[in-house]
Amino acid sequence: MCWDGNNPSQALVFPLRAPRVSPEETISRRTRTTRSFVASLFVAAVALTGCAAVEEPKTEGAEQVKEEDVTRIDTISPASGSLLGGETITLTGEGLSDVSSVVFGGVSATSITAAADNQLQVVAPAAVDYAVGAVSVTALSEENEVIASAANYDYQVLTGVDAQMQYAFAHWQDYNDEVWGIFPDNDCGNFVNQTLIARGWVETEEWYSEWNTTGDFSDSWARGPAMDAYFASQTDRATRLSLEQRSQVKVGDVVMFDWDPAGENGVDHTMLVSKVDPVTGAISMAGHTIDAQYRDLDQAITVENPGATAWFYSIA
């Protein structure tokens, strides 16, 4: 059919054409669409990961807090002391307020006082077997965390008793026979008197031994009753204590034994006090004949020698 222009019903209806778009405009529209899609993906990713990018400062901050919470011992003052211990030592570091114990070379300090959050005051124990030298110092927190010190504690011979105990523990078993010889069957008095020489006592006409050179010696050096009488006469440096006064006994004192008090032979044996337990009061002894470092006093006079008795000389 042809349109003659006079009949409106015959008018042809043509579809609308989309406006012509240039190639440049097409690329621009595609770029905007791509950017919008990528932005949507980023938002979704952030929502799923919980803003992972923001967590880095938090992790760094947590590490800083962890470093600040480290418990440690930095310094020990003073850093040396007597073999017998007893010095008040100040430990300085970080986070020391929760420390439950402090150990010097395997031996626990006898008391712990918190001076501040970063300071502790402890009383140094005696050196193990009165040995000279530096030992490690460690602490234990209430959470059972072991805290190692950056410094050691140095045990030194500072007193006469230090020298006496160092000698005793060097020769309780390894006899110093090249200098003093050995008294056959009973070397107990010989040993105790050697330790007193190491402590600073000097031989006299009443108290001496040349056993290893001339074979001569005083009875007070090697015979129990005479030794007891000699000590009793030294009132300026030896004080007699009964068994009931044992609470006054200290390391370095002398013990006299009578295994049979009903007899009249007097002193049967002598030893050196090597340890006094501050809690139980138990007394340990070093000596010869029955070689020992820590022989128990009560065991000796009850189980080993029932009915025996003992007394002491407290050495000034």
Side-chain angles (χ1 to χ4, degrees), residues 114-177:
D117 180 59
N118 64 340
Q119 277 192 345
L120 288 179
Q121 287 188 335
V122 301
V123 176
V128 176
D129 294 342
Y130 303 103
V132 171
V135 299
S136 62
V137 178
T138 57
L140 189 67
S141 71
E142 294 176 353
E143 293 77 24
N144 292 324
E145 174 192 7
V146 177
I147 306 159
S149 171
N152 291 331
Y153 185 76
D154 191 22
Y155 281 104
Q156 301 176 355
V157 175
L158 301 179
T159 69
V161 186
D162 286 339
Q164 178 188 24
M165 301 313 298
Q166 182 191 34
Y167 181 92
F169 275 73
H171 298 291
W172 70 274
Q173 192 173 37
D174 182 14
Y175 287 24
N176 190 10
D177 55 336

Side-chain angles (χ1 to χ4, degrees), residues 253-314:
D253 288 349
V254 175
V255 189
M256 297 285 185
F257 291 97
D258 187 349
W259 301 138
D260 181 19
E264 297 180 357
N265 60 325
V267 175
D268 295 300
H269 189 53
T270 184
M271 297 190 75
L272 176 72
V273 175
S274 59
K275 182 180 179 180
V276 179
D277 191 300
V279 177
T280 66
I283 295 173
S284 301
M285 306 165 297
H288 280 185
T289 306
I290 297 179
D291 298 343
Q293 287 177 293
Y294 299 106
R295 187 180 180 185
D296 183 73
L297 170 71
D298 295 300
Q299 180 89 359
I301 61 177
T302 57
V303 178
E304 298 171 10
N305 299 277
T309 190
W311 59 94
F312 313 92
Y313 282 98
S314 177

Side-chain angles (χ1 to χ4, degrees), residues 1-264:
M1 180 188 307
C2 296
W3 178 55
D4 58 8
N6 296 316
N7 188 353
S9 62
Q10 294 180 342
L12 295 175
V13 179
F14 294 95
L16 294 175
R17 290 184 179 179
R20 184 179 297 275
V21 179
S22 68
E24 292 79 9
E25 288 177 332
T26 301
I27 294 172
S28 176
R29 287 181 181 181
R30 289 177 179 174
T31 300
R32 286 196 300 270
T33 302
T34 302
R35 287 176 179 174
S36 177
F37 178 73
V38 170
S40 300
L41 288 177
F42 175 77
V43 171
V46 169
L48 290 174
T49 59
C51 301
V54 185
E55 289 185 357
E56 292 184 1
K58 291 183 181 180
T59 302
E60 181 179 352
E63 291 176 354
Q64 291 175 351
V65 171
K66 184 176 181 181
E67 290 178 0
E68 292 173 359
D69 288 344
V70 169
T71 303
R72 65 179 188 271
I73 301 171
D74 295 325
T75 62
I76 302 173
S77 179
S80 62
S82 164
L83 298 184
L84 268 70
E87 290 90 351
T88 299
I89 309 298
T90 300
L91 308 179
T92 303
E94 291 293 336
L96 302 181
S97 58
D98 67 340
V99 166
S100 59
S101 65
V102 177
V103 177
F104 288 68
V107 183
S108 297
T110 54
S111 70
I112 302 175
T113 303
D117 180 59
N118 64 340
Q119 277 192 345
L120 288 179
Q121 287 188 335
V122 301
V123 176
V128 176
D129 294 342
Y130 303 103
V132 171
V135 299
S136 62
V137 178
T138 57
L140 189 67
S141 71
E142 294 176 353
E143 293 77 24
N144 292 324
E145 174 192 7
V146 177
I147 306 159
S149 171
N152 291 331
Y153 185 76
D154 191 22
Y155 281 104
Q156 301 176 355
V157 175
L158 301 179
T159 69
V161 186
D162 286 339
Q164 178 188 24
M165 301 313 298
Q166 182 191 34
Y167 181 92
F169 275 73
H171 298 291
W172 70 274
Q173 192 173 37
D174 182 14
Y175 287 24
N176 190 10
D177 55 336
E178 291 185 2
V179 177
W180 297 104
I182 301 173
F183 284 77
D185 300 326
N186 197 338
D187 197 63
C188 62
N190 185 31
F191 173 73
V192 168
N193 288 325
Q194 288 173 42
T195 72
L196 292 172
I197 294 292
R199 181 167 175 161
W201 283 31
V202 178
E203 293 175 86
T204 67
E205 293 181 355
E206 295 81 25
W207 182 72
Y208 68 92
S209 176
E210 297 174 356
W211 177 256
N212 201 38
T213 54
T214 68
D216 191 20
F217 62 95
S218 65
D219 285 350
S220 60
W221 187 272
R223 304 191 189 284
M227 185 176 176
D228 183 33
Y230 178 74
F231 283 168
S233 70
Q234 303 301 300
T235 55
D236 59 333
R237 56 181 181 174
T239 302
R240 192 183 192 279
L241 300 174
S242 68
L243 194 58
E244 289 71 27
Q245 295 174 296
R246 63 185 293 165
S247 62
Q248 301 176 43
V249 171
K250 60 190 185 302
V251 170
D253 288 349
V254 175
V255 189
M256 297 285 185
F257 291 97
D258 187 349
W259 301 138
D260 181 19
E264 297 180 357

